[in-house]
Amino acid sequence: MGTLSTDPTGAERQQEESRLKPSPLFPTPTPLEPQSQKLDAGALFVLKSQGSWLHCGYHLTTSIVAPALLSLPFAFAALGWVAGVLCLIVGALVTFYSYNLLSLVLEHHAQLGQRHLRFRDMAEHILGPKWGRFYVGPIQFAVCYGAVVGCTLLGGQSIKFIYVLLRPNGSMKLFEFVIIFGLLMLVLAQVPSFHSLRHINLISLVLSLAYSACATAGAAYVGNSSKAPNRDYSLSSDGANRVFGIFNAIAIIATTYGNGIIPEIQATLAPPVKGKMFKGLCVCYTVVTATFFSVAVSGYWAFGNQAAGTVLSNFLVDGKSLVPKWFLLMTNVFTLLQVSAVGVVYLQPMNEVLERAFGDATSDQFSARNAVPRLFFRSLAVVIATIIAAMLPFFGDINSVIGAFGFMPLDFVLPVIFYNVTFKPSRRSLLFWGNTTIAVVFSVLGVIAAVSSVRQITLDAKTYRLFANV
């Protein structure tokens, strides 16, 4: 139901195949028989294929360049300069490569008459029905909905941060701010389709550049001021803590580069899709390079191994701001606004599932038959995410486990497997063994990162408390 047939006749299909020229790197496999299927309500209404490559770039940037990048100095504190910079470069190169492979596989099937609009549809077609239904679908759902909960919590924390700056002795608790942010998400969740978010995601792109520039400038200001902390770049001497800290840092970097919704983003492109995703990724990774590296390097340089979970926390010591208060307020407002866009982007797979289950593809998208269930179930999804975020302010620890089990396979492992299965490069080729190496290495890293994340949850468990005001 999520596969769009674009080649209904044999003559047209033969003409299409004649345009697919094999190459040494991208050999063309035997064409697959297209299936004539009508789009379900989820694909038809949420994953509208009307966007340009530039719109695709906006979606990609919002899904990757998120406030999680403010944790990169903290990851550097566990890795040190050399390993930190190296991991950041490897993460950028491997994800850019794997996302392009995923796009090439999607383009290939689209040219052969079957355009896959969802990650699980792609997995079912390439690896078999059980893979999409019992593996890719559930972990993608967990990762994306976990991201929505995490964004809601982060949004509440940003509002609380602003509140504490303005009213240091205020009595409001974190869960109240999470609820306030949940109300904003409740409104944004009603945006009808992924394509409809293109203008919001353009603003999000600008905001990500803005708060990254502020974080970089703030770190440079503090690092060069008389208030600068004593910088120490030494790593932990405790063997076990150091090893687990390294893998936890790798998981943070991998999750920061994570996406998990490449097929859904490519589904928003108006056909023909060939080459558009690559342009969108170039836009995205231009922003990635400008933001990730500047924040990571400046934050670690300014605060060393004292870098906090988010570098903005380092700007506030014992209730006193190390940078002008207006500057810190402005940076948090930028972060708050952008995280709302990130949350609604990762809500799209949930919206698509709900629309597919409760919508009617034969009725108009804005008819009462579709509008009423859409309003109710999208609102319910946001309310549940808000309740979880308010109850579990330590959800970041849980999210790191979800990220290790989810982002690693979705973004590092499956793309190279899909490519090898689809294009079948020679087993003697560098391409085949390079892809296989990536799959094996990041599968192992994913398992180790998951163990490290579970260990961190165990260590923090004694401080866990429902509705805690952290």
Side-chain angles (χ1 to χ4, degrees):
M1 295 294 287
T3 303
L4 180 60
S5 178
T6 58
D7 192 3
T9 69
E12 291 173 350
R13 180 165 162 249
Q14 186 176 5
Q15 184 179 12
E16 181 65 41
E17 290 172 12
S18 67
R19 291 195 292 268
L20 301 177
K21 297 179 181 180
S23 70
L25 285 181
F26 308 117
T28 303
T30 303
L32 301 168
E33 285 295 329
Q35 301 173 359
S36 296
Q37 295 178 328
K38 292 182 180 179
L39 292 179
D40 56 69
L44 187 64
F45 297 152
V46 178
L47 303 178
K48 286 184 176 180
S49 301
Q50 297 177 340
S52 68
W53 65 266
L54 201 54
H55 299 150
C56 177
Y58 303 157
H59 300 322
L60 286 165
T61 303
T62 298
S63 63
I64 297 175
V65 186
L69 70 89
L70 298 173
S71 298
L72 290 174
F74 176 74
F76 269 45
L79 295 169
W81 278 115
V82 176
V85 172
L86 184 62
C87 285
L88 211 56
I89 292 172
V90 169
L93 293 176
V94 172
T95 52
F96 183 79
Y97 174 71
S98 64
Y99 294 155
N100 271 294
L101 290 190
L102 207 57
S103 176
L104 287 171
V105 174
L106 288 165
E107 286 181 7
H108 176 77
H109 289 297
Q111 288 175 321
L112 293 181
Q114 282 190 317
R115 187 179 179 192
H116 301 298
L117 304 179
R118 293 175 280 233
F119 214 137
R120 61 184 181 276
D121 295 334
M122 185 182 186
E124 285 183 16
H125 183 80
I126 296 173
L127 301 179
K130 291 183 179 179
W131 281 92
R133 191 174 307 159
F134 300 113
Y135 181 69
V136 173
I139 65 171
Q140 186 197 33
F141 182 85
V143 164
C144 291
Y145 199 64
V148 174
V149 176
C151 286
T152 306
L153 176 58
L154 183 57
Q157 289 173 335
S158 294
I159 299 175
K160 181 189 173 185
F161 195 95
I162 294 170
Y163 175 78
V164 169
L165 278 177
L166 297 176
R167 295 189 61 185
N169 299 318
S171 60
M172 290 184 69
K173 307 298 183 184
L174 176 61
F175 74 88
E176 297 174 88
F177 299 110
V178 171
I179 292 171
I180 292 171
F181 186 82
L183 294 174
L184 172 61
M185 286 292 295
L186 205 60
V187 175
L188 291 176
Q190 308 309 322
V191 175
S193 69
F194 206 153
H195 177 64
S196 302
L197 293 174
R198 62 195 183 279
H199 302 304
I200 292 175
N201 288 341
L202 170 59
I203 296 171
S204 168
L205 186 155
V206 175
L207 287 170
S208 66
L209 289 170
Y211 69 68
S212 297
C214 288
T216 302
Y221 175 84
V222 173
N224 286 307
S225 71
S226 58
K227 303 175 184 177
N230 294 324
R231 289 190 285 273
D232 182 1
Y233 302 112
S234 62
L235 302 178
S236 173
S237 58
D238 186 324
N241 286 337
R242 181 172 180 179
V243 170
F244 280 109
I246 288 172
F247 285 111
N248 192 48
I250 291 173
I252 289 172
I253 292 174
T255 303
T256 305
Y257 279 110
N259 180 284
I261 52 174
I262 290 292
E264 286 79 4
I265 291 177
Q266 187 152 329
T268 66
L269 287 169
V273 298
K274 188 171 177 61
K276 293 180 180 177
M277 194 68 166
F278 177 77
K279 294 179 181 177
L281 281 166
C282 287
V283 171
C284 173
Y285 273 78
T286 300
V287 180
V288 164
T289 303
T291 55
F292 282 36
F293 287 84
S294 61
V295 171
V297 171
S298 64
Y300 185 52
W301 169 80
F303 304 108
N305 56 20
Q306 296 181 39
T310 171
V311 72
L312 298 186
S313 298
N314 285 109
F315 296 155
L316 199 64
V317 177
D318 296 328
K320 296 180 180 179
S321 178
L322 301 182
V323 296
K325 185 178 289 188
W326 64 266
F327 182 84
L328 198 52
L329 282 170
M330 178 180 67
T331 306
N332 273 276
V333 169
F334 291 156
T335 306
L336 169 66
L337 294 176
Q338 204 253 348
V339 78
S340 65
V342 176
V344 78
V345 162
Y346 278 102
L347 195 61
Q348 296 310 302
M350 166 69 83
N351 290 347
E352 182 273 319
V353 169
L354 293 173
E355 204 86 16
R356 183 182 188 184
F358 302 106
D360 180 8
T362 62
S363 301
D364 183 77
Q365 180 180 6
F366 301 105
S367 65
R369 167 64 185 82
N370 286 315
V372 173
R374 180 183 304 123
L375 176 64
F376 175 78
F377 286 107
R378 290 190 183 188
S379 300
L380 181 62
V382 172
V383 168
I384 292 172
T386 303
I387 292 172
I388 294 172
M391 287 179 61
L392 308 175
F394 43 83
F395 189 78
D397 283 356
I398 301 171
N399 225 12
S400 64
V401 178
I402 296 173
F405 280 115
F407 280 125
M408 285 286 195
L410 290 178
D411 297 326
F412 294 88
V413 180
L414 286 176
V416 296
I417 293 176
F418 286 167
Y419 184 89
N420 281 359
V421 172
T422 299
F423 291 103
K424 298 179 175 61
S426 170
R427 296 202 172 192
R428 297 180 179 180
S429 67
L430 180 62
L431 182 63
F432 174 84
W433 286 107
N435 288 348
T436 303
T437 301
I438 290 173
V440 172
V441 168
F442 282 95
S443 294
V444 173
L445 284 176
V447 172
I448 296 174
V451 172
S452 178
S453 299
V454 170
R455 175 180 178 270
Q456 191 62 45
I457 288 178
T458 304
L459 293 175
D460 294 342
K462 56 188 176 183
T463 63
Y464 289 170
R465 185 166 54 84
L466 294 181
F467 297 101
N469 186 36
V470 296

